[in-house]
Every structure is written in structure tokens, then in C-alpha cells.
Amino acid sequence: MIRHVFKLIWNRKRTNFLMMAEIFVAFLVLFAVVALGVYTADNWRRPLGYSIDRVWVVHVDMKQASDDSFDEAQQETARQLLLALREFPEIEASAGTMLAPYEFGSSSSAYDWRGRRIEYGVAEVTDGFKDLLGLQIVEGRWFGPEDDGQTYEPVVINRDMRMDLFGDGPAIGQNIANERDPGGDGPAPRDRRVVGVAADYREDGEFDGTRHYGIFRKTMAGATPGSSDAPSRGRDRPPRTLLVKVSPGTTAAFEERLLRRLQAAAPDWSFEVTTLAAMRDSFIRLAVAPLIAVGLVAGFLMLMVALGLLGVLWQNVTQRTREMGLRRAKGAARINVQRQILGEIAVMTTLALTAGVLVAIQFPLLDIIYFVEPHVYAIGLALSIAAIYLLTLACAWYPSRMATRVEPAEALRYE
């Protein structure tokens, strides 16, 4: 029976090849969309590693030409701003950072590690960042005054980076880069020593993938000796963003008082206050919009494929009236005729999917998109294959029912 089906497909190879090409292209498009959906859903379910509850964000505009144009006066002004935040009883914790979570933009670095290139996101924060966002340290410690005056630059890495670099071996005390490393964002003036491991840290929120992160200690020149703001070479740029965690029940009226105090400390700078929750909502809306657009395009494509297959199969059955009638005249049951039509489309779908799968598996094998894990591709492949089979067999069902209605006498008209 299978040999007979292949023979029938070969005899109508031109028409069938076009159908298989259509199924092949539809599968690749569907695979890309489904894999993107699986990747997004997989990221959404992962823990962020921090809490955004009652966190306000103060964006600071220092009026400088670029991030590298700061001077000692600006560093001192930034330190005074952090000190001013401690004056308010409504503020439970405060910290400075270059980029807040859910803020558009990113900072990254890279270096050579045992023969391979390691890329990781960079977060530059002050000492209060951990307590403000509730980061969980699972190994080692958070940086603090004990790192003042040391010959190394302390860094806290996330668990994904720790497992990739060190596996089951020790991570605390290891250097992830030093001044001899040529890669990254410039030669580091000191060893970048791992002092702690955070359970998770996903700066871009729910849509951020499983990538490496290094959290570096940001300090400002001019701090008093022994304080948590003692200077550190390479990380003394003033923070562009201030984070504050307000007490429960703090109203929007506090924003005006906060801005007045900050403006008094830095008259030439400007400030804008929002909440981390509002930034999250805005970030998610902008991230979801292209996903919806891609989904709609893929849905219309699947609809066009379904209509095309239905039309081709309908015409196919109409043109094969004589063949179906002769089969019925020789004693074939209705169910056997229907199985023949469904079997042909199943075989053509299998051939098209075989070619499609060979193309799709190149992505994980060649690690073309390095941050997508293999199980995302596997789930995407399984769902796409199932969807294509369901689509093609559903489109073939009614034409196959039409073929069972052909009576033997109708075949005599063609003799």
C-alpha cells in the first residue's frame, strides 16, 4: 500500500512538488514563530531575581556631553544626592545605578576565558542595590566596605554565569578578567574578582533570556575613607539613575518634596521620577506589540496555506473521478478510498517536514542563536510538526470524503 501511494505521488510529481514546497515553507515560518513563542513563555516563567514593589526611579540628567565627560565636581554632586536620599524617613533604601531594570539600553562586556569568548551583561550599582531590590545571594557575599582599598574590583555574578564558567568548582575568589585581557569594554585596571553569586538577575525583566550578568560595585570619588562609597578605579562614573524604596503608604505628594531636595543638591541638573512598576508596564507593552504582529502574520499565512491546500486537493479529487470510480468498481470500500487520499497527503507532508526539520535543526547544532537553549528548539519543532500534520490532514478530510461519494458508474463517462 505504501509503495502504491509513493507511485501515485510520483505520477503527479509536478503538482505534488508544489504542494510539498508550500508545506515546507509554511513549516519553517511556523517553526520560527512557535520557537519565538516558546522562548518568550520560557523566559516569562523564570524568576527575575528582584522585587519592584514600592521602588521609585529618579532619572538624572547631568547635562554632560557624554558618559565619559564627567569630572570630580559631578562625582561629588552625585555623592551628595545619595546622601540627600537618606534624609527622608519615607525612604527605606536607596542606591545608584547606570541602568535600572526595565530601562531601555544595555551595557555588556566580553573577554577570553579558557579558549572561548564569554559575553555578559554589566550592571554598575552602589552598595545599597541588593537590599533595595531584594537580590538573593546564594554563594559568597555582596560587596561592601570590606572591598575598600583592595587590589581587586569586586563583582557579583548571576548563577547562570557561575555554572557556565566554574561548574561544580569554586567560584568565590576567582578572577573573571584582569588588565591582561584584551576584550570587553577596555582593559580593566585591576582583577575583577568574584565575591558573590546572585540567584538570578534579569535586567530586562520577563523577556530577558538566560544570559550572563556581572554586577560591579559603583563608587564615587570624594567619599570618606572606609565608607561604602570609597573610590574604585574604573567604576567611578556618577550614576545616571537613582533608585529609592519608599515606605508603605507613601503618596505621590512625596515626589514634589523629593524633587525639591534633589534640585537643591544639584541646581544645574534635572530629574524625572517614575515608578519601576510603571516602567515595567511600558516595557512589556512595547515588547508584546511586535510579538502580536508576528503572530498575526503567521496566522494569516497558515490560513492562506490551508485555503490553498483545500483548493488543490479539491481539484485533485475532481480530476481523479475516473480513478476513484474504478477503485469502487473493483470492490474498494469507501473507507479505503478515503484512507488513500489521506495517506497521500500524509506522505507528502512527511517528505516536506523531513526537509524542513533538516533545515531547522541547524540552528541548535550550529548554535546560530547562542542564547536560545536547545529545549526551546525541541518544543518548537514538536509543536510545529504537530500543527502542520493537523492542518494538512484537516484540509484533506473533506476532499477525501468527496472521493468516497464517487460512484462506479461515473467512471464509465470517461471510457
Side-chain angles (χ1 to χ4, degrees):
M1 179 62 183
I2 296 179
R3 182 180 178 183
H4 177 68
V5 169
F6 273 99
K7 186 176 181 180
L8 291 173
I9 293 174
W10 178 255
N11 290 338
R12 302 174 58 85
K13 52 183 174 293
R14 178 174 298 180
T15 301
N16 292 335
F17 175 77
L18 293 176
M19 290 178 58
M20 287 188 289
E22 186 177 14
I23 295 172
F24 170 78
V25 173
F27 167 76
L28 291 182
V29 174
L30 184 62
F31 167 70
V33 174
V34 172
L36 176 62
V38 173
Y39 175 73
T40 302
D42 190 53
N43 288 336
W44 187 276
R45 68 174 180 82
R46 297 176 184 271
L48 292 175
Y50 53 84
S51 172
I52 66 173
D53 185 39
R54 294 183 284 115
V55 176
W56 290 16
V57 182
V58 182
H59 297 288
V60 182
D61 185 358
M62 302 177 186
K63 309 296 184 181
Q64 82 269 29
S66 69
D67 288 343
D68 297 324
S69 65
F70 59 87
D71 52 30
E72 292 185 4
Q74 289 175 314
Q75 296 173 11
E76 175 61 22
T77 301
R79 192 177 71 88
Q80 292 299 323
L81 291 177
L82 287 173
L83 293 174
L85 295 177
R86 303 174 187 175
E87 300 174 5
F88 294 97
E90 293 90 346
I91 296 179
E92 295 181 352
S94 60
T97 179
M98 294 303 295
L99 284 172
Y102 298 105
E103 191 169 3
F104 290 97
S106 63
S107 178
S108 62
S109 185
Y111 66 97
D112 294 324
W113 172 262
R114 298 176 181 176
R116 61 193 179 105
R117 193 70 168 168
I118 298 297
E119 298 182 359
Y120 60 96
V122 173
E124 302 176 52
V125 304
T126 60
D127 290 359
F129 189 79
K130 178 185 79 73
D131 293 334
L132 187 144
L133 290 183
L135 269 64
Q136 181 183 1
I137 303 300
V138 295
E139 188 176 349
R141 59 175 176 82
W142 184 252
F143 35 66
E146 59 268 37
D147 297 305
D148 294 343
Q150 299 293 338
T151 58
Y152 59 81
E153 184 177 6
V155 56
V156 174
I157 61 177
N158 66 342
R159 186 157 41 190
D160 289 328
M161 186 172 181
R162 184 250 187 276
M163 294 304 299
D164 188 27
L165 297 186
F166 307 110
D168 296 330
I172 306 304
Q174 300 292 325
N175 294 329
I176 62 170
N178 55 46
E179 59 187 352
R180 293 178 295 277
D181 290 316
D185 54 356
R190 297 181 296 175
D191 290 339
R192 296 176 175 178
R193 182 170 301 176
V194 177
V195 299
V197 177
D200 298 284
Y201 183 70
R202 301 169 61 201
E203 190 173 72
D204 290 337
E206 287 81 358
F207 294 100
D208 200 356
T210 55
R211 57 173 172 151
H212 300 160
Y213 263 104
I215 306 175
F216 291 88
R217 189 187 188 210
K218 171 170 284 301
T219 55
M220 273 72 71
T224 56
S227 73
S228 61
D229 292 326
S232 171
R233 289 173 292 174
R235 299 292 168 189
D236 55 0
R237 293 180 297 176
R240 297 184 304 181
T241 304
L242 303 177
L243 301 178
V244 296
K245 186 166 188 176
V246 298
S247 303
T250 301
T251 64
F254 173 63
E255 178 181 337
E256 184 179 354
R257 293 171 49 213
L258 175 63
L259 286 175
R260 279 203 308 265
R261 180 64 183 91
L262 295 177
Q263 203 69 67
D268 297 329
W269 294 2
S270 60
F271 306 90
E272 181 182 353
V273 179
T274 185
T275 64
L276 206 51
M279 291 176 61
R280 174 184 181 272
D281 293 341
S282 177
F283 191 93
I284 289 177
R285 282 196 299 270
L286 290 175
V288 166
L291 295 177
I292 295 176
V294 170
L296 290 175
V297 171
F300 279 115
L301 175 63
M302 291 301 105
L303 179 60
M304 297 303 295
V305 169
L307 293 176
L309 285 176
L310 184 60
V312 170
L313 290 171
W314 194 313
Q315 184 183 26
N316 188 22
V317 170
T318 302
Q319 293 176 345
R320 297 169 66 183
T321 301
R322 180 174 56 177
E323 176 189 341
M324 302 305 170
L326 290 177
R327 283 207 66 193
R328 292 294 313 282
K330 295 181 66 174
R334 292 178 183 270
I335 189 64
N336 292 334
V337 174
Q338 185 175 19
R339 286 175 179 174
Q340 176 187 335
I341 302 299
L342 293 176
E344 290 179 18
I345 192 64
V347 169
M348 287 189 290
T349 301
T350 301
L351 294 175
L353 288 180
T354 299
V357 169
L358 290 176
V359 173
I361 62 175
Q362 301 308 310
F363 287 87
L365 291 179
L366 300 178
D367 199 20
I368 296 176
I369 307 178
Y370 68 92
F371 54 84
V372 178
E373 298 182 6
H375 76 272
V376 172
Y377 290 115
I379 297 174
L381 273 176
L383 293 177
S384 301
I385 290 172
I388 290 295
Y389 270 119
L390 182 63
L391 176 66
T392 55
L393 292 177
C395 291
W397 183 84
Y398 185 73
S400 68
R401 290 285 296 174
M402 287 180 56
T404 64
R405 298 171 186 171
V406 177
E407 297 297 336
E410 294 185 36
L412 298 177
R413 298 179 185 179
Y414 297 90
E415 297 299 333

